[in-house]
Amino acid sequence: MGAPTLIDTLERLAPGTPMRVALDRIIQQGNGGLIVLGYDQSVARASSGGFKLQNTSFTSARLAELSKMDGGIVLDDTWGEILQANVHFTPDGSIPTDETGARHRTAQRLAYETGKPVVAVSEGRRVATLFYEGQKIELATPTEVAARVNQELQSLDRMRGRLDEAEARLTRLEVSGLATYRAAVTVIQRAEVVERLGELVESRTLTLGDEGRILTLQLNDLLSGVDKIKRWVLQDYVKPLRQGSIGRALERLAALNGTDLEDPVNLGRALRFPDLDEPAEPRGYRILSQVGRLPESVKEDIVRYFGSLSKLLHATEDQLIDVEGVGETRARQLRAFFDRLQAAAHDWEPVPD
């Protein structure tokens, strides 16, 4: 059995699930607790004392009762059996932690050392916190989480609007022959910010269980197409475009911290772009993606044939027909689409970033 993902773990800790009911009972009792959700030799090495339980299946009431002891609790990987109770955990003290309370420091180090989900229940703050895969997620009440998620969705909606504006501006610049790497970086930057905030909101929404379904639908709507926009812009501007170059660019983008992501120069440098204000010649992947029912293979052939968006936009129907897989009908469709783009950009006055 493989290690559960963070999403799987959060779904199993959502309100109404047996484990969440147990955690809520511990909080209602006014107790604290430290619970390791999985077992292997790394957990055994970081444990001492306590006692082993035999054939003790997990129930919410049983876990809540065992939490009244001072030590921690260990479950098997399925969370179906309680293996140990009243355990003293001794993870590696050299593992860095930003937690101040002893229980939460232990939980963070234990999660890092063992790779298992670890839940710390604070009796003072009356909240359970999950430590897993390098993340710390508070399992707040559904009402608190829903309020926070609604606020974040509003922020995400504004950010998505800014992304759409940046993409529309890039389209006009490209069609007008005025595209720069700065305009491309702005779209990539805003797409990455939207995705990162979306991941945060998703992790919170999952803790709501069934109560978060409507919020999940809103989130999915806001994130729709964002990853594709980012990839298409990279396909247009990354040079040279070779096998694996887009994947490597995405890895460098993901590695940027928040400060570097906010700085267009640092972002451009990470993507190996030249000076941001240099004129740029896109290949045309993103524009062609807006053409309905255009197969990927045909899109690739069109880009390969013309080499640049500028040449593509000025291609005649006969030149388009020369591309394998286009044909007369598709050539007319493409030419009409390009004409509409050029007409829309004709009277547009570019505004500097």
Side-chain angles (χ1 to χ4, degrees), residues 291-294 328-338 340:
V291 179
R293 291 176 293 181
L294 186 64
E328 292 185 11
T329 301
R330 191 164 279 152
R332 285 196 298 272
Q333 177 194 17
L334 287 166
R335 188 61 262 166
F337 174 70
F338 297 152
R340 289 196 299 273

Side-chain angles (χ1 to χ4, degrees), residues 165-187:
E165 289 171 3
E167 190 193 6
R169 183 175 188 274
L170 179 62
T171 296
R172 297 189 185 99
L173 288 170
E174 290 179 345
V175 174
S176 303
L178 300 173
T180 64
Y181 287 97
R182 185 178 297 277
V185 161
T186 299
V187 175

Side-chain angles (χ1 to χ4, degrees), residues 248-249 252-253 256 260 264-273:
R248 289 189 291 273
R252 292 193 296 270
L253 182 61
L256 292 175
D260 287 337
V265 174
N266 285 337
L267 178 52
R269 190 179 297 121
L271 297 174
R272 310 291 195 264
F273 286 170

Side-chain angles (χ1 to χ4, degrees), residues 268-299:
R269 190 179 297 121
L271 297 174
R272 310 291 195 264
F273 286 170
D275 184 277
L276 295 188
D277 293 316
E278 279 192 24
E281 181 63 82
R283 296 182 177 91
Y285 284 103
R286 189 182 59 85
I287 291 292
L288 284 172
S289 71
Q290 299 172 21
V291 179
R293 291 176 293 181
L294 186 64
E296 284 297 318
S297 58
V298 175
K299 183 164 67 174

Side-chain angles (χ1 to χ4, degrees), residues 83-139:
L83 302 179
Q84 294 174 278
N86 203 28
V87 179
H88 177 59
F89 294 114
T90 56
D92 184 354
S94 67
I95 296 173
T97 174
D98 52 7
E99 295 298 320
T100 54
R103 181 180 289 127
H104 286 67
R105 282 201 305 272
T106 299
Q108 187 176 37
R109 286 172 172 154
L110 201 56
Y112 181 88
E113 183 174 329
T114 65
K116 302 293 184 183
V118 180
V119 176
V121 180
S122 170
E123 54 193 303
R125 296 182 55 232
R126 298 178 62 81
V127 65
T129 304
L130 170 69
F131 293 89
Y132 190 43
E133 292 187 345
Q135 296 201 45
K136 169 188 175 181
I137 300 174
E138 285 193 359
L139 305 176

Side-chain angles (χ1 to χ4, degrees), residues 68-313:
K68 293 178 180 179
M69 300 179 184
D70 291 336
I73 300 170
V74 179
L75 278 75
D76 69 349
D77 287 330
T78 69
W79 305 8
E81 187 175 351
I82 304 174
L83 302 179
Q84 294 174 278
N86 203 28
V87 179
H88 177 59
F89 294 114
T90 56
D92 184 354
S94 67
I95 296 173
T97 174
D98 52 7
E99 295 298 320
T100 54
R103 181 180 289 127
H104 286 67
R105 282 201 305 272
T106 299
Q108 187 176 37
R109 286 172 172 154
L110 201 56
Y112 181 88
E113 183 174 329
T114 65
K116 302 293 184 183
V118 180
V119 176
V121 180
S122 170
E123 54 193 303
R125 296 182 55 232
R126 298 178 62 81
V127 65
T129 304
L130 170 69
F131 293 89
Y132 190 43
E133 292 187 345
Q135 296 201 45
K136 169 188 175 181
I137 300 174
E138 285 193 359
L139 305 176
T141 66
T143 301
E144 293 170 335
V145 175
R148 189 180 305 172
V149 168
N150 274 311
Q151 290 179 342
E152 290 169 340
L153 283 173
Q154 291 175 17
S155 297
L156 190 59
D157 184 51
R158 290 192 294 271
M159 290 180 181
R160 179 60 196 261
R162 294 185 66 210
L163 167 60
D164 293 341
E165 289 171 3
E167 190 193 6
R169 183 175 188 274
L170 179 62
T171 296
R172 297 189 185 99
L173 288 170
E174 290 179 345
V175 174
S176 303
L178 300 173
T180 64
Y181 287 97
R182 185 178 297 277
V185 161
T186 299
V187 175
I188 294 168
Q189 178 189 54
R190 292 182 182 179
E192 182 69 13
V193 169
V194 167
E195 286 196 315
R196 291 190 185 188
L197 179 56
E199 290 174 2
L200 174 64
V201 177
E202 181 185 31
S203 68
R204 296 200 204 283
T205 305
L206 286 171
T207 67
L208 291 170
D210 291 343
E211 297 178 34
R213 286 182 179 177
I214 294 177
L215 296 175
T216 299
L217 290 174
Q218 290 179 261
L219 175 62
N220 292 340
D221 185 54
L222 290 171
L223 295 178
S224 176
V226 174
D227 183 64
K228 289 182 178 179
I229 292 170
K230 185 170 63 176
R231 288 175 179 270
W232 287 328
V233 175
L234 289 172
Q235 282 184 295
D236 274 342
Y237 291 91
V238 166
K239 295 180 180 179
L241 186 58
R242 297 172 179 157
Q243 185 175 5
S245 57
I246 300 303
R248 289 189 291 273
L250 288 168
E251 288 174 0
R252 292 193 296 270
L253 182 61
L256 292 175
N257 59 35
T259 302
D260 287 337
L261 184 62
E262 291 174 2
D263 186 338
V265 174
N266 285 337
L267 178 52
R269 190 179 297 121
L271 297 174
R272 310 291 195 264
F273 286 170
D275 184 277
L276 295 188
D277 293 316
E278 279 192 24
E281 181 63 82
R283 296 182 177 91
Y285 284 103
R286 189 182 59 85
I287 291 292
L288 284 172
S289 71
Q290 299 172 21
V291 179
R293 291 176 293 181
L294 186 64
E296 284 297 318
S297 58
V298 175
K299 183 164 67 174
E300 287 285 350
D301 288 339
I302 292 172
V303 171
R304 192 178 301 113
Y305 186 90
F306 290 100
S308 72
L309 178 62
S310 176
K311 292 178 181 178
L312 176 58
L313 289 173

Side-chain angles (χ1 to χ4, degrees), residues 8-77:
D8 290 338
T9 302
L10 287 170
E11 287 177 343
R12 296 182 68 186
L13 290 170
T17 60
M19 184 57 68
R20 186 59 176 271
V21 170
L23 297 176
D24 288 342
R25 283 193 179 193
I26 294 171
I27 292 171
Q28 289 164 8
Q29 291 170 177
N31 296 327
L34 190 57
I35 305 161
V36 181
L37 301 173
Y39 182 81
D40 60 14
Q41 286 304 306
S42 65
V43 177
R45 287 192 296 269
S47 306
S48 66
F51 55 88
K52 295 181 180 179
L53 301 170
Q54 299 294 328
N55 301 319
T56 306
S57 60
F58 161 79
T59 67
S60 301
R62 189 169 289 153
L63 187 71
E65 283 301 311
L66 289 171
S67 73
K68 293 178 180 179
M69 300 179 184
D70 291 336
I73 300 170
V74 179
L75 278 75
D76 69 349
D77 287 330

